[in-house]
Amino acid sequence: MVPDSGSPAALQGNPTRIIFVDDEPHILSSIQRLFRSEPFDISYTISVAEALDRVGKERFAVVVSDHRMPEMDGTLFLEKVKEISPGTLLILLTGYADLNAAPEGSNVALVRHFLSKPWNDQELKQVIRSAVAEYALQAERRKPDISGETG
Amino acid sequence: MKDMKLMRLLGEICDYGVIQGQDPQLTKRVILSNKISLTLLSISFPPVFVHLFLDQKNVAAALFLMAVFFTLIPFVNKAGFLRVSRFCLILIPCMSMFYFTETLGMKVGTHFFIFPLTCLAFVLFKWEERIYILSGAVIAISVLFFLLSRSDSAGSLALTHSAELILHITFSVLPVALMCSSLLYFLYGNHTAEASLRQSKESLESAHSQLKENQSQLLQAEKMASLGQLAAGVAHEINNPMGFIVSNVNTLSEYVNTLNSVLAGYQEFAASVRYGQPRQVSSPILTKVDELVRASDLEYVLKDSRQLILETQDGVCRVRDIVRNLRDFAEPDAEVPESVHVNECLEAALKVVWNDPKVKCTVERRFAEVPSFTCFRGQLNQVFLNLLNNAVRAIKEMGVITLRTEFDGEWVTVSVSDTGVGIAPENIPKLFTPFFTTRPVGQGMGLGLSVAYGIVKKHGGDIRVESKEGVGTCFSVRLPVIPSKVSAPSQVLSEAFRERIELQRKSIISETAP
């Protein structure tokens, strides 16, 4: 199964957009299987550059990243995502047992949730769902402000 | 010039029996016994001629014999019979002194003019303080003797009563006192030297066993440390495939549930058809099954199952390979020589190092066609692992590690070069010394390269380093393809520590020595 990198735009209404980044295609396809029946618009990519490019162009509610990738460390990648899109919630899926493995200078506090590999399917789903809910709540909070300004 | 030559010769003779690395106390005693025998030789040799001149042949012969004995003593020392020489040195003068006292019958007679010669021997050499005092005393006595003999009215060499008394004393009492004191000195010296020897031997032995114990503990600790580092890296490498394996198996179980329920529907339909149920009965069943198929996305499930199983199999194989590699590294002791291909070893070591989260580099492989040869696979892996580890740690920013293998018909050369920080020139000679490390405390014990060195040496190869600060470092390991004597792995490890133990032993010796 080839990771779905160029996912079609929002299908119905405004489904929550999520992107998974991992240099391991098998992990992406297993996650794809897992979220097959979830009501999210999920993109999968093995490329950090592509992910950053898309984060700049589209709005993602949640970005889930691998920790160790050949192009860029996962925590650094998530930091960059935070710069581009401050509202996006960040989740790190790490193969390391401890977080001391994070490179110096990277801001681990930015990451909303850490999940370790091998992950528990139910837990992963739960974490994604709650992140999506949180994102929706934040969006709700922002909306009245905008409407207040415009109206 | 001649004097200088003589002095040099005497100095050489004094060093007879001295062996490099000997206990310093023993060396001191050997030199002292040589000096004393030379002194006694110079005392006893001139009187031989005097006695010959005086036609006292028996005395001359005795003196000559004595002189020969004293000449022999340094050579006995040189031959290594240190105890024999010391024994002779104590015995001969005493015996001869008794003989002379008897022969002379307390009548010194014409010996008086020989006497001043005795002090020459003392002046000839550099002596310790007490010998100076002794020779000073002898000179004083000689001077006194001359003064007294000159006071003789006849002006001849006839002796006054007091001069004769002094001669009497010097010839009978002084030599005996001298011999007794030297005897005491030797006995005492022997005793203390032996005691201190025994003591230092004991302390050496205990230090050695302590070191041995520490060595095995350290080896274990080093092994555990590298194993821990390995485990952290390998955990990551295993967790990745485990992630999708676990998830895929869960999904597969859902797929199987789906397939089961669809299959159950079809079975129900088949049964109803087989038992000739009316269409009204079987048709809704089929509709229900169709609905189930659509809802469960059976087409996708069937198509994906194959893919899922393939991916999972791939992951399982990866985990199996990692564990196999890990075993090769974790148990280097329990192995036998086997045919090894260095390119594979490098790949295996690379796999282990590569999982380190701090790795910030790319790898260039320039592998040549190299033959396999017989050696200890695990140990070679350890060598390459240590070299790669150093290379990886040398690279602070992004860098390149180049792995190169070459073969020149006799030697396989493996070089690991990095574009890292390099090694300071003053550190290069210390690189292979056990416990030398430039890393901060707790980040390595400085055993990696020394262990690598020991292993490579045991395989009959050598290991070289070229480094330039700020440019990079290149370690080259040369290994012979024709197997030389490859010894047991346990010896390899102890070999790596022999140097260190030797060093520490030396420092202990210098501490126990006065």
Side-chain angles (χ1 to χ4, degrees):
Chain A
M1 187 171 295
V2 180
D4 181 11
S5 51
S7 115
L11 298 168
Q12 43 194 10
N14 189 18
T16 316
R17 307 196 52 145
I18 299 167
I19 187 166
F20 280 90
V21 188
D22 200 311
D23 63 314
E24 172 71 74
H26 289 358
I27 286 189
L28 292 181
S29 61
S30 72
I31 292 173
Q32 199 167 3
R33 287 186 191 103
L34 195 62
F35 285 86
R36 191 164 53 96
S37 48
E38 294 289 318
F40 308 128
D41 173 15
I42 306 178
S43 307
Y44 303 92
T45 178
I46 55 166
S47 157
V48 171
E50 192 198 316
L52 282 175
D53 188 45
R54 291 190 59 181
V55 167
K57 287 177 187 160
E58 304 160 40
R59 284 184 70 172
F60 286 100
V62 181
V63 174
V64 185
S65 169
D66 182 22
H67 197 163
R68 199 172 118 82
M69 293 176 286
E71 288 172 86
M72 192 187 285
D73 186 86
T75 47
L76 290 178
F77 163 67
L78 290 179
E79 252 176 75
K80 292 200 171 178
V81 170
K82 198 77 182 175
E83 277 170 31
I84 300 168
S85 166
T88 304
L89 293 166
L90 311 173
I91 292 170
L92 193 72
L93 195 55
T94 175
Y96 294 115
D98 65 318
L99 287 165
N100 297 330
E104 295 97 33
S106 64
N107 193 350
V108 179
L110 288 176
V111 179
R112 185 185 179 276
H113 208 104
F114 293 93
L115 282 168
S116 58
K117 290 177 189 171
W119 62 90
N120 180 314
D121 287 350
Q122 296 314 313
E123 191 191 353
L124 178 61
K125 278 185 183 174
Q126 199 50 53
V127 164
I128 299 285
R129 280 187 201 128
S130 73
V132 165
E134 193 180 321
Y135 180 79
L137 201 69
Q138 282 179 4
E140 279 298 313
R141 263 192 224 128
R142 251 174 274 140
K143 255 182 198 164
D145 292 355
I146 298 162
S147 60
E149 277 165 29
T150 50
Chain B
M1 277 304 281
K2 231 176 188 178
D3 284 354
M4 290 296 288
K5 258 187 190 168
L6 181 69
M7 293 301 282
R8 211 176 306 140
L9 179 71
L10 291 174
E12 249 174 57
I13 292 172
C14 285
D15 283 340
Y16 276 5
V18 175
I19 303 157
Q20 209 65 41
Q22 214 172 22
D23 177 12
Q25 198 125 22
L26 188 66
T27 306
K28 224 191 262 174
R29 265 183 291 127
V30 168
I31 291 175
L32 193 63
S33 71
N34 284 339
K35 279 179 177 175
I36 287 173
S37 52
L38 279 176
T39 311
L40 291 173
L41 172 66
S42 61
I43 293 171
S44 57
F45 198 58
V48 175
F49 299 103
V50 176
H51 283 283
L52 276 178
F53 179 71
L54 292 174
D55 212 21
Q56 293 180 324
K57 288 211 170 85
N58 54 340
V59 182
L63 281 168
F64 183 71
L65 212 61
M66 249 175 86
V68 170
F69 270 124
F70 291 137
T71 320
L72 281 177
I73 283 172
F75 291 98
V76 173
N77 270 338
K78 198 182 185 184
F81 303 110
L82 304 179
R83 275 173 191 278
V84 176
S85 81
R86 258 179 287 154
F87 180 72
C88 290
L89 202 55
I90 295 162
L91 200 68
I92 299 164
C94 292
M95 295 288 282
S96 36
M97 273 303 147
F98 280 120
Y99 174 78
F100 283 121
T101 332
E102 281 301 304
T103 316
L104 295 173
M106 298 298 175
K107 284 193 180 126
V108 282
T110 48
H111 290 89
F112 61 89
F113 60 89
I114 307 154
F115 187 73
L117 287 174
T118 54
C119 64
L120 277 179
F122 292 108
V123 184
L124 264 178
F125 307 109
K126 286 186 175 172
W127 294 95
E128 288 165 39
E129 248 171 285
R130 53 190 137 184
I131 306 291
Y132 275 119
I133 293 165
L134 197 66
S135 54
V138 173
I139 291 167
I141 290 165
S142 324
V143 170
L144 190 64
F145 166 72
F146 272 108
L147 286 176
L148 289 171
S149 59
R150 281 227 185 105
S151 69
D152 183 34
S153 54
S156 71
L157 283 172
L159 297 173
T160 58
H161 177 70
S162 28
E164 202 162 353
L165 188 70
I166 288 168
L167 266 182
H168 186 94
I169 292 166
T170 43
F171 251 95
S172 58
V173 180
L174 193 70
V176 173
L178 199 84
M179 287 313 125
C180 287
S181 63
S182 74
L183 185 69
L184 279 173
Y185 174 78
F186 273 114
L187 283 176
Y188 176 72
N190 253 0
H191 175 75
T192 51
E194 255 159 44
S196 83
L197 250 185
R198 207 178 307 121
Q199 209 175 347
S200 63
K201 194 183 164 217
E202 272 165 19
S203 73
L204 261 181
E205 268 169 5
S206 75
H208 188 243
S209 66
Q210 183 72 36
L211 271 176
K212 263 188 173 170
E213 203 175 300
N214 287 353
Q215 172 197 343
S216 65
Q217 278 175 2
L218 274 167
L219 268 180
Q220 194 60 26
E222 168 83 356
K223 214 168 154 186
M224 292 313 284
S226 58
L227 214 63
Q229 183 204 340
L230 237 148
V234 167
H236 177 266
E237 191 68 355
I238 287 176
N239 283 343
N240 247 335
M242 279 311 282
F244 63 83
I245 289 169
V246 171
S247 180
N248 281 349
V249 170
N250 282 343
T251 309
L252 190 64
S253 109
E254 274 173 35
Y255 285 1
V256 169
N257 286 343
T258 307
L259 288 173
N260 274 341
S261 60
V262 170
L263 196 62
Y266 277 123
Q267 276 170 341
E268 198 187 336
F269 173 67
S272 77
V273 170
R274 185 171 300 139
Y275 297 113
Q277 297 278 358
R279 209 179 147 82
Q280 293 95 311
V281 179
S282 55
S283 181
I285 297 175
L286 191 59
T287 319
K288 201 177 81 188
V289 174
D290 283 345
E291 185 58 36
L292 193 63
V293 168
R294 202 168 33 253
S296 61
D297 203 356
L298 189 69
E299 201 185 338
Y300 173 84
V301 168
L302 287 175
K303 199 184 85 189
D304 189 43
S305 303
R306 183 175 291 274
Q307 188 66 31
L308 184 152
I309 288 167
L310 283 177
E311 285 176 14
T312 308
Q313 277 172 339
D314 179 48
V316 169
C317 286
R318 266 162 57 186
V319 173
R320 184 197 61 195
D321 289 347
I322 292 160
V323 172
R324 195 176 283 168
N325 274 331
L326 187 63
R327 192 192 53 198
D328 281 354
F329 279 96
E331 284 184 58
D333 291 2
E335 59 171 345
V336 286
E338 56 183 313
S339 180
V340 171
H341 199 269
V342 286
N343 292 359
E344 287 168 16
C345 287
L346 280 171
E347 287 292 350
L350 201 57
K351 248 183 210 162
V352 174
V353 174
W354 212 239
N355 299 318
D356 196 297
K358 304 277 194 274
V359 172
K360 299 184 194 76
C361 53
T362 53
V363 169
E364 260 185 53
R365 294 172 178 79
R366 294 190 191 157
F367 292 163
E369 282 294 314
V370 295
S372 301
F373 57 97
T374 306
C375 62
F376 293 101
R377 178 191 296 278
Q379 291 188 10
L380 274 203
N381 281 347
Q382 203 178 349
V383 171
F384 298 143
L385 178 70
N386 291 347
L387 294 183
L388 274 170
N389 241 333
N390 285 348
V392 162
R393 274 150 206 275
I395 293 172
K396 305 290 181 207
E397 303 295 319
M398 280 305 287
V400 183
I401 292 177
T402 310
L403 302 177
R404 197 179 281 112
T405 56
E406 286 160 79
F407 179 58
D408 66 355
E410 203 177 332
W411 298 83
V412 168
T413 309
V414 179
S415 54
V416 178
S417 46
D418 62 69
T419 57
V421 291
I423 304 162
E426 67 267 22
N427 285 340
I428 286 181
K430 295 181 257 173
L431 280 182
F432 299 104
T433 315
F435 299 104
F436 173 75
T437 180
T438 54
R439 288 183 207 154
V441 176
Q443 291 188 20
M445 284 188 277
L447 289 178
L449 279 177
S450 72
V451 167
Y453 181 84
I455 291 171
V456 171
K457 278 283 162 203
K458 273 289 156 188
H459 280 84
D462 55 39
I463 183 165
R464 279 178 215 171
V465 59
E466 278 171 56
S467 183
K468 203 169 178 190
E469 262 184 297
V471 177
T473 307
C474 177
F475 280 94
S476 330
V477 174
R478 242 161 45 107
L479 294 162
V481 170
I482 295 116
S484 54
K485 274 188 282 171
V486 178
S487 35
S490 55
Q491 284 177 333
V492 173
L493 292 172
S494 58
E495 180 74 12
F497 282 87
R498 188 183 290 171
E499 237 173 276
R500 178 172 64 84
I501 289 168
E502 210 58 52
L503 274 173
Q504 302 218 355
R505 182 187 292 157
K506 271 175 194 160
S507 73
I508 286 169
I509 286 172
S510 61
E511 275 168 29
T512 49

